[in-house]
Amino acid sequence: MIKKPNEKIIRYSASVRINHWLMVIFFLFTAISGLGFFFPSLNWLMNILGTPQLARVLHPLLGAVLFVGMFVRYFKHNFIEKQDIVWAKNIGKILKNEEAGDVGQYNLGQKGVFWLAAVCLFLLLVSGIIIWRPYFADYFPIPIIRLALLLHSVAAIGLIMTIIIHVYAAIWVKGSIRAMVEGWVTRAWAKKHHPRWYREIVEREKPRQEKSG
């Protein structure tokens, strides 16, 4: 049976999409309330979580859920492979919206975003525990708390910049946002952007086709 280029295939299951958008919501809540904590002129942003008092409770909890939810869900998909190096060496083609290398389900750019976000979230988690009043801050000396505040701020800026890059890349590669909203891509899209992943899909389809035949 000949497959049409515009035929739809599933890229993200419903559970993956729900997890992704929950992480987006948690990120927005923690980022916006965090900006409210950091800048006195933006204190009103803390109301995004109800009240400033409630924000002080929910901000670290949502941040911890964000780290665990993202890392556990996507860790196994983001190991660096040989073909990722080929992809990196052809970055000029990538910037022209051309593809290079035998890319699997995720390319090196997507993996890079994951690891940058994971590192930033880990630093935010560790530094956040140190500065979390009234639970843990009393156990640390003032110099350590000051260093943790600086680290927390730098990691937060790093995470926000990483997410901006992630969003820009999703807009740049037409079809990426639709895949995370509706779950599907066309066969032509999969074959162009993620050829090895597409071949894996085709191989999994063969037993079903043989049974139906």
Side-chain angles (χ1 to χ4, degrees):
M1 182 178 178
I2 298 175
K3 300 295 184 181
K4 298 179 180 179
N6 291 329
E7 184 178 346
K8 299 177 182 178
I9 57 174
I10 297 299
R11 177 156 173 80
Y12 299 116
S13 65
S15 63
V16 170
R17 301 199 307 276
I18 291 170
N19 178 270
H20 176 271
W21 292 113
L22 280 175
M23 294 304 101
V24 169
I25 293 170
F26 288 175
F27 167 76
L28 289 174
F29 279 147
T30 53
I32 292 172
S33 59
L35 290 173
F37 294 139
F38 192 79
F39 297 103
S41 61
L42 296 178
N43 282 165
W44 55 275
L45 289 177
M46 289 186 287
N47 293 317
I48 191 174
L49 291 175
T51 65
Q53 293 76 16
L54 188 58
R56 292 186 183 280
V57 175
L58 293 180
H59 175 87
L61 295 177
L62 290 178
V65 171
L66 177 61
F67 173 74
V68 174
M70 188 202 77
F71 194 81
V72 170
R73 184 76 192 189
Y74 299 106
F75 173 73
K76 65 180 180 180
H77 299 294
N78 286 278
F79 292 108
I80 307 300
E81 303 171 322
K82 184 178 180 180
Q83 285 299 320
D84 293 325
I85 308 303
V86 176
W87 188 92
K89 289 180 178 179
N90 289 274
I91 192 65
K93 291 183 178 180
I94 305 303
L95 294 176
K96 295 178 182 178
N97 207 17
E98 300 175 9
E99 290 299 328
D102 197 21
V103 179
Q105 186 170 9
Y106 299 100
N107 61 40
L108 184 61
Q110 293 168 308
K111 292 177 181 180
V113 165
F114 169 83
W115 286 112
L116 282 172
V119 169
C120 289
L121 282 167
F122 177 75
L123 294 175
L124 285 166
L125 183 63
V126 172
S127 59
I129 290 173
I130 295 174
I131 64 178
W132 193 356
R133 294 182 182 276
Y135 301 103
F136 305 108
D138 290 340
Y139 295 99
F140 299 94
I142 295 299
I144 296 298
I145 293 177
R146 288 174 177 169
L147 182 61
L149 282 166
L150 176 61
L151 181 61
H152 202 76
S153 302
V154 172
I157 294 171
L159 179 61
I160 291 172
M161 294 302 296
T162 298
I163 298 304
I164 290 174
I165 292 171
H166 175 59
V167 173
Y168 178 80
I171 295 172
W172 176 262
V173 181
K174 186 178 179 181
S176 297
I177 294 178
R178 180 185 60 204
M180 191 51 77
V181 173
E182 300 181 27
W184 61 270
V185 295
T186 64
R187 289 183 177 272
W189 187 98
K191 191 173 182 179
K192 176 184 177 182
H193 297 289
H194 300 271
R196 179 153 51 90
W197 172 71
Y198 175 67
R199 291 200 306 273
E200 292 169 358
I201 295 293
V202 172
E203 287 299 316
R204 289 201 293 268
E205 289 175 338
K206 285 182 179 180
R208 294 199 297 269
Q209 292 173 2
E210 291 172 357
K211 289 181 181 180
S212 62

